[in-house]
Amino acid sequence: MKDLVGSWSKNEQRRAALEQARKWVADSFHGGDGDTVRTLRLRKGWSQARLAADLGTSQSHVARIERGTENLSIETCRRLCVALGINMNTLDEALRRQESLAASKAT
């Protein structure tokens, strides 16, 4: 799947279709979660790899952030805000929401 998405990302029309699909997933599957890092990323049409590239980190690090299992440095928070076009208050709310969702899934 990773190879397929990678090859599609090189084609302008297919890349646009992938971005639209991610936006649809954000609203259709995660809309009820409220704003989380995942929904904010998906609404931009970005993959985890795309966000990771902006942050200067790995896709697996972004996955841990989105699961709410990663303790973030202030520098990572700043980079997330810039990449996602949000302020620190919005990021704080998104991270708290993620932690809450992770805790509810664990029980």
Side-chain angles (χ1 to χ4, degrees):
M1 185 61 118
K2 180 181 175 182
D3 292 337
L4 177 64
V5 170
S7 68
W8 277 29
S9 296
K10 295 174 185 171
N11 177 291
E12 184 63 35
Q13 287 179 317
R14 288 183 172 170
R15 182 175 47 249
L18 284 170
E19 290 175 1
Q20 285 302 110
R22 289 182 184 112
K23 292 174 185 181
W24 177 82
V25 166
D27 294 332
S28 299
F29 292 99
H30 301 291
D33 294 345
D35 284 345
T36 63
V37 173
R38 174 182 292 137
T39 59
L40 293 167
R41 171 185 61 80
L42 288 171
R43 285 187 191 127
K44 289 184 80 75
W46 288 2
S47 66
Q48 288 180 340
R50 168 68 169 83
L51 179 56
D54 264 28
L55 298 178
T57 191
S58 66
Q59 177 274 324
S60 60
H61 186 222
V62 171
R64 290 191 305 274
I65 292 169
E66 290 184 355
R67 279 194 307 269
T69 60
E70 188 75 5
N71 289 321
L72 302 177
S73 69
I74 191 68
E75 183 57 33
T76 300
C77 290
R78 288 181 182 131
R79 286 184 284 167
L80 272 168
C81 287
V82 170
L84 297 173
I86 58 175
N87 62 41
M88 282 286 204
N89 289 330
T90 302
L91 178 61
D92 182 53
E93 291 170 13
L95 292 171
R96 288 177 190 271
R97 192 166 292 114
Q98 282 178 197
E99 290 171 359
S100 176
L101 289 169
S104 68
K105 290 179 182 179
T107 57

